[in-house]
Amino acid sequence: MKDAVDQFLPLSPATLHILLSLAGDDLHGYAIMQEIARHSEGKYKVGPGTLYDNLQKLIQRKWVQELGHRPSDDDPRRRYYRLTSLGRGVLAAESTRLAGVVREARLRLQALTPRRS
Amino acid sequence: MLASLYRRVVHLHPPAFREKFGDEMSSIFEQAKGTPAEIRLLLDALVSLARQWGLRSEFWYAPDPAPVQPAPDGVPCFSSLDPFRPRSSAVIEGLLLSIALFCLTCFAIRYSWIHVLHVRIPEVQFERSTWRPESRPVAADFERMPIPTTLPNTSSTGLSRTNSTIEVPRQPVPAKANPRKHETPATADPAQSDSGQMDRPSNQVFQSAIQTPLALETFEGTYVVEHPRRITLVVAAENGNLTMSMEGQRKVQLIPSSSTKFTVSAMGDCWIDFMPGNNVAGNEPIRQLKFSCNGEQFIARKQSRLD
């Protein structure tokens, strides 16, 4: 499974943020947009076109599952999406990769910083 | 207005995308109504439209679900053939190529209207034939043919000449009768002559399909070809026929094909054209002959009695 996941790395920023948003709970499209804006602190925003374009690919790859409409929701046009186990594995692999990049970056930056006695 | 425009842009998306996400996109836009985010959403929809049609050809149409046909033993059968969809880049490249070809064709058509193309087609050279157009008997030659069977005795040769061309006066055509261009010798009236008397030439006129107005004695003589080598031709009238003999060759018969042209029998494409001289007095009317055989031509001058 690791080989099947690694072939999709690195993920695009939009894909990463969408998977990250769905990692906590099942969300509809507008909620995904709001969650992305929240956890990126407003630095990364996606529009509906970009969102659903990526969702289309993620659904085809079976990283995201479409749940359809929730009867409890006010707007019948909203459709909810859920992160699949495969999608969760891809997100984990990407997180590990990014963590390694951050660790390496910190080590290099620490080496460059002059030490003060 | 922006909402209707946004809905139209969403409606222009590919069918599969529109059916799946069109309502959600419209719902999101409605939630942002009245805010500056409307314009950003509209621009996002336009970018999405271009991206879906340009780069997402595999998502244009929803895949048709394969009909599941159960086998006789109850095991379902599945179809694995996918509908063919050309690549978006192939479609764009084909469109550009078609436009380029169309423009090139239009330019070529317009160019041909303005500039006339002169295409030189090389002449086709046929094998040289001995039958020359200038020696071919034409209607004028037939008009010069004698109508009367007898000739007025104006000279020793029985020939009346007005110019260098050998011609025989025609019979006068009655005013009421329809003029004929050609009259066969058989229908001609031999009684018409300047002197009013019928005089037969001393020699016998050659009787053939084409009659020569000149007596055969006119063509008799010795003709000499000087170039490229000396050849002596002896033309003689024997028993009403004209014959020709060359050095080392058997005697051949000359068959008239016009008033002055004779074909050489048993020699293929060979003919002799007797050419009259400028002497209109009747002495030595034939000065030389043109002998053509198998593509080669020779001019032979008639030797006078003093030569």
Side-chain angles (χ1 to χ4, degrees):
Chain A
M1 181 177 173
K2 185 177 184 300
D3 295 337
V5 169
D6 289 345
Q7 65 178 337
F8 298 108
L9 303 182
L11 299 178
S12 64
T15 302
L16 173 63
H17 285 287
I18 292 172
L19 294 178
L20 195 58
S21 301
L22 293 174
D25 195 7
D26 302 339
L27 298 173
H28 56 80
Y30 188 64
I32 294 174
M33 291 171 58
Q34 291 178 322
E35 180 61 23
I36 291 174
R38 190 194 64 78
H39 69 236
S40 65
E41 297 177 358
K43 296 177 183 177
Y44 189 81
K45 294 180 181 178
V46 293
T50 305
L51 171 65
Y52 292 112
D53 176 60
N54 283 274
L55 276 176
Q56 185 175 244
K57 285 189 298 183
L58 297 177
I59 291 172
Q60 186 193 33
R61 294 175 181 174
K62 294 182 174 47
W63 297 356
V64 172
Q65 179 183 3
E66 182 182 351
L67 300 178
H69 169 67
R70 280 187 179 178
S72 60
D73 207 327
D74 298 334
D75 194 344
R77 293 175 295 182
R78 287 179 180 174
R79 293 175 179 269
Y80 286 78
Y81 303 92
R82 177 182 293 174
L83 191 65
T84 62
S85 57
L86 179 59
R88 196 174 296 275
V90 171
L91 179 61
E94 178 68 5
S95 300
T96 305
R97 187 190 70 84
L98 288 173
V101 172
V102 170
R103 183 172 60 249
E104 192 67 26
R106 285 177 178 174
L107 287 175
R108 297 291 177 89
L109 290 173
Q110 196 173 8
L112 292 175
T113 305
R115 294 174 184 166
R116 297 179 180 180
S117 57
Chain B
M1 185 182 73
L2 284 179
S4 62
L5 185 60
Y6 188 84
R7 279 195 298 272
R8 291 185 183 277
V9 172
V10 171
H11 186 73
L12 291 176
H13 278 69
F17 187 91
R18 182 176 65 243
E19 291 173 5
K20 207 165 189 178
F21 307 113
D23 293 338
E24 293 183 69
M25 292 178 68
S26 300
S27 171
I28 294 172
F29 186 83
E30 288 176 5
Q31 292 187 6
K33 194 178 291 185
T35 64
E38 281 183 336
I39 298 177
R40 186 173 61 85
L41 293 177
L42 182 60
L43 293 175
D44 176 77
L46 291 173
V47 172
S48 171
L49 178 64
R51 181 168 51 220
Q52 291 301 318
W53 282 113
L55 303 175
R56 303 288 187 258
S57 60
E58 64 272 19
F59 297 116
W60 287 354
Y61 303 98
D64 296 332
V68 179
Q69 298 178 0
D73 56 353
V75 178
C77 299
F78 298 91
S79 174
S80 61
L81 293 178
D82 295 330
F84 172 75
R85 294 194 198 96
R87 295 178 291 107
S88 57
S89 60
V91 174
I92 295 173
E93 289 170 359
L95 178 63
L96 294 176
L97 185 61
S98 299
I99 293 173
L101 285 176
F102 179 75
C103 293
L104 187 64
T105 303
C106 293
F107 176 76
I109 292 173
R110 183 175 177 80
Y111 184 85
S112 64
W113 286 347
I114 299 172
H115 300 86
V116 178
L117 298 178
H118 295 281
V119 180
R120 187 174 185 279
I121 301 175
E123 296 179 0
V124 179
Q125 298 291 339
F126 291 99
E127 187 176 324
R128 191 175 181 180
S129 173
T130 58
W131 187 254
R132 285 183 166 272
E134 58 272 14
S135 62
R136 188 182 305 166
V138 294
D141 293 338
F142 286 98
E143 291 179 359
R144 297 196 187 98
M145 286 176 55
I147 298 172
T149 54
T150 57
L151 300 173
N153 190 13
T154 56
S155 65
S156 60
T157 60
L159 182 66
S160 171
R161 195 179 309 166
T162 57
N163 50 30
S164 60
T165 306
I166 301 175
E167 291 186 356
V168 175
R170 289 194 197 180
Q171 279 188 340
V173 180
K176 294 185 179 178
N178 292 326
R180 291 185 181 179
K181 283 192 174 179
H182 303 283
E183 291 188 28
T184 58
T187 60
D189 187 359
Q192 298 293 328
S193 65
D194 292 341
S195 61
Q197 296 180 358
M198 292 176 53
D199 290 323
R200 282 189 173 273
S202 57
N203 58 318
Q204 183 180 357
V205 177
F206 182 78
Q207 298 290 335
S208 70
I210 300 175
Q211 293 184 359
T212 171
L214 300 175
L216 294 181
E217 289 177 347
T218 310
F219 304 107
E220 281 185 320
T222 302
Y223 299 82
V224 178
V225 178
E226 297 291 344
H227 299 284
R229 58 188 176 91
R230 186 180 176 86
I231 302 174
T232 302
L233 307 173
V234 178
V235 178
E238 297 177 1
N239 299 326
N241 298 325
L242 208 61
T243 61
M244 181 185 74
S245 61
M246 286 190 296
E247 298 172 358
Q249 300 288 336
R250 62 183 179 87
K251 191 178 294 184
V252 292
Q253 185 178 351
L254 301 181
I255 303 171
S257 58
S258 71
S259 58
T260 57
K261 188 173 180 181
F262 294 79
T263 56
V264 181
S265 63
M267 284 190 71
D269 294 331
C270 297
W271 47 268
I272 291 178
D273 192 2
F274 292 92
M275 293 183 287
N278 294 327
N279 185 358
V280 298
N283 296 326
E284 304 294 341
I286 302 298
R287 291 293 300 168
Q288 58 188 10
L289 63 84
K290 184 191 298 182
F291 178 53
S292 176
C293 191
N294 296 327
E296 294 185 1
Q297 286 188 351
F298 307 98
I299 301 295
R301 289 192 60 188
K302 188 175 184 179
Q303 283 188 331
S304 62
R305 295 188 183 87
L306 300 178
D307 290 344

